[in-house]
Amino acid sequence: MQTELKINGDKHVLDLDSRTTLLDVLRHHIGLTGTKKGCDHGQCGACTVIVNGRRINSCLTLACMHDGDEITTIEGLGTPDDLNPLQAAFVAHDGFQCGYCTPGQICSATAMLKEAKAGWPSHVTEDMASTPDLTDAEISERMSGNLCRCSAYPNIVDAIREVARGGKE
């Protein structure tokens, strides 16, 4: 099946088996190995990417379902020489240990911050307009789909909070 994907601003036209996951296309067909295959069941979040501004588990979706969609991976957020604010905050706060979950964590946090800014409710805060500052509990709830085997959660929350507040803490 011919599928056209716009990945990190670049157009890719691919002939794929209709059963190929977006994760496998990114890693094996495009060569973007930053997105990780963790559990391959949508339970860990290591494969999180941003599609049309929303975070998804790329292991649970077929590439052909995203024909024409805008896909952003960790490689599209920044480079080693030009880190985006979340990437820099993860480094500054030691928000990773083994680093395996980090690309998914950062992609998820990027979309999550936009969701919170847009006022999307959560189980912690029903009305973001009345509580615009993201608390640790709010960040933890909104990031709950991304697991870290090394338990760097306090540092991950610190990094996200710093960016949410607009700078250094």
Side-chain angles (χ1 to χ4, degrees):
M1 170 173 218
Q2 190 172 72
T3 304
E4 181 180 310
L5 305 172
K6 190 169 186 183
I7 303 169
N8 301 327
D10 295 328
K11 180 176 151 182
H12 298 271
V13 179
L14 305 157
D15 286 314
L16 302 168
D17 182 312
S18 61
R19 299 167 293 179
T20 307
T21 66
L22 179 57
L23 173 62
D24 287 337
V25 165
L26 293 171
R27 292 184 58 78
H28 303 295
H29 295 266
I30 308 297
L32 297 173
T33 57
T35 304
K36 303 299 185 219
K37 184 178 277 195
C39 65
D40 208 22
H41 296 289
Q43 297 173 347
C44 73
C47 68
T48 304
V49 296
I50 303 166
V51 177
N52 296 331
R54 299 200 53 189
R55 53 191 165 152
I56 67 163
N57 291 332
S58 62
C59 74
L60 291 181
T61 188
L62 301 174
C64 64
M65 295 169 59
H66 298 287
D67 189 55
D69 286 351
E70 299 269 344
I71 300 162
T72 304
T73 68
I74 190 69
E75 293 92 347
L77 293 176
T79 66
D81 295 327
D82 186 24
L83 299 176
N84 86 353
L86 270 168
Q87 290 170 320
F90 265 67
V91 172
H93 288 276
D94 197 22
F96 56 90
Q97 288 180 26
C98 80
Y100 198 82
C101 72
T102 305
Q105 295 274 0
I106 291 173
C107 283
S108 187
T110 298
M112 180 274 291
L113 288 172
K114 290 179 183 173
E115 293 165 6
K117 187 174 184 178
W120 290 20
S122 76
H123 290 291
V124 174
T125 308
E126 290 182 24
D127 181 11
M128 286 302 295
S130 66
T131 313
D133 195 26
L134 291 175
T135 64
D136 288 1
E138 183 72 32
I139 293 169
S140 294
E141 168 63 25
R142 289 177 181 265
M143 292 294 294
S144 63
N146 291 83
L147 304 180
C148 174
R149 295 181 275 198
C150 304
S151 296
Y153 297 116
N155 300 357
I156 292 168
V157 170
D158 289 346
I160 294 169
R161 187 182 340 93
E162 176 185 306
V163 173
R165 291 182 179 164
K168 300 277 184 217
E169 292 191 321

